Amino acid sequence: MQRAGAEEAAGAQAAAGGPGRSGAEVAAAPAGRLLRRELRLLESIFHRSHERFRIGSACPDEISCEFVPGVGARAGASASRGPPPGPVRIHCNITESYPAVPPIWSVESDDPNLAAILERLVEVRKGNTLLLQHLKRIISDLCKLYNLPQHPDVEMLDQPLPAEQSTQEEVSSEEEDEEMPEDSEDLDHYEMKEEEPADGKKTEDEGIGKENLAILEKIKKNQRQDYLNGAVSGSVQATDRLMKELRDIYRSPSFKGGYYAVELVNDSLYDWNVKLLKVDEDSALHNDLQILKEKEGTDFILLNFSFKDNFPFDPPFVRVVSPVLSGGYVLGGGAICMELLTKQGWSSAYSIESVIMQISATLVKGKARVQFGANKNQYSLTRAQQSYKSLVQIHEKNGWYTPPKEDG
């Protein structure tokens, strides 16, 4: 932003803590400390259980949040029909030049109305390009879009920021700013980046075992290292969603009950091996798996989930790796014939656990059987992709067959 003047200084003054501070004083305050105070205010207002808007995770360079329309909400022409809209997931990236450079926003949706809301943030000028003012505009516009009354908590974004909570060590550091201003500022930014609210972390990790918490921490460390090495893979939206999916799985009763297991291939968040450990005990497939255990020492079905950068808007590619199956809607190469695994049938609202459990049920419903003695090399990624491509082309032309209720 290149605009400057009395109005812009006044706007920055109000956002920095109310009257009594000059524009020069605001400019002199470390931007990182100002941002940290904004984040603390945001999390105090829009906590994880807020009825309308929730801050999921927040650090000085990235924020994930969601707008919850709730029952009775309708958007545009769909106001009189269809189910209520689901949560709107929003992401924000903040550069080191903040607040001179405004936050960068993205939304997990192809809805042009949502994209337009973010595009209109360029209208927030005259010093109001701070995080709080952007969010105030976003929440207000989303309420209008979904024909909802303005939530009263939005006005709380205009209140003075909470005071900086400095420890004695931080105070001593500030006294040395005149001698080492650049190093001190860089150190402050680094420490902020690693900081995570204690209450939020406790809630986020609650119900997850130590072994799985270690896996999540390893993923985070790998991501930070990739970032430092300039080798970041995937996208922000996909990474955030996959981390959430993995956390939800680790605290899931089905996962803890041994119905399935998840392993990351080469520690990649975008490549999962899923073991179906339990299927319907009254099914022939269950009996086959018991025989397989006696013969080969394994009694599970191994699936592979591959995710792309545009997840969760596109489904994962799922295939059976082993054992070789007949029936159960399993195609050549190990591809699976299920509408929800195609763009046509997929919804970004689906959880990965629900997909796993649905696949397990579909294998039983389709009377899948283990092909003992079959050539294991007939299942491969290339063949599965070819079968999937043919499957999509056929069903795009002819539609999907829904069996009668008596068929299950």
Side-chain angles (χ1 to χ4, degrees), residues 222-236:
N222 290 342
Q223 289 172 343
R224 285 195 292 267
Q225 190 60 48
D226 288 344
Y227 177 80
L228 294 174
N229 295 337
V232 179
S233 60
S235 66
V236 172

Side-chain angles (χ1 to χ4, degrees), residues 56-88:
S57 61
C59 62
D61 59 358
E62 186 177 335
I63 301 173
S64 294
C65 47
E66 68 177 14
F67 179 84
V68 185
V71 178
R74 293 291 187 274
S78 63
S80 61
R81 63 181 183 276
V88 179

Side-chain angles (χ1 to χ4, degrees), residues 10 24 144 234 241 278 306 332 340 349:
K144 292 177 183 177
R241 176 62 178 268
K278 293 182 181 181
S306 177
L340 71 80

Side-chain angles (χ1 to χ4, degrees), residues 232-291:
V232 179
S233 60
S235 66
V236 172
Q237 68 181 25
T239 297
D240 284 352
R241 176 62 178 268
L242 287 169
M243 284 294 286
K244 178 185 181 302
E245 293 288 344
L246 199 55
R247 285 184 181 278
D248 289 346
I249 282 174
Y250 284 158
R251 62 168 62 95
S252 161
S254 296
F255 175 80
K256 293 180 178 180
Y259 285 85
Y260 65 93
V262 174
E263 298 175 355
L264 302 186
V265 180
N266 297 323
D267 295 327
S268 171
L269 194 57
Y270 289 76
D271 193 2
W272 298 14
N273 277 342
V274 176
K275 296 178 181 179
L276 299 182
L277 303 173
K278 293 182 181 181
V279 298
D280 187 347
E281 294 183 355
D282 294 329
S283 67
L285 180 59
H286 176 268
N287 294 332
D288 285 352
L289 291 175
Q290 299 305 307
I291 297 174

Side-chain angles (χ1 to χ4, degrees), residues 28 34 106 122-123 151 164 211 261 281 304 312 338 394:
L34 177 63
S106 61
V122 297
E123 300 170 3
H151 199 283
E164 180 73 19
E211 181 180 347
E281 294 183 355
N304 179 259
M338 291 178 64
I394 292 171

Side-chain angles (χ1 to χ4, degrees), residues 50-53 66-76 79 84-88 114 117 136-152 154:
H50 194 275
E51 62 181 1
R52 183 66 69 227
F53 193 79
E66 68 177 14
F67 179 84
V68 185
V71 178
R74 293 291 187 274
V88 179
L114 298 176
I117 288 176
K136 181 179 179 180
R137 180 66 175 268
I138 289 172
I139 299 171
S140 297
D141 285 356
L142 285 171
C143 286
K144 292 177 183 177
L145 176 64
Y146 291 104
N147 299 308
L148 296 168
Q150 184 68 267
H151 199 283
V154 173

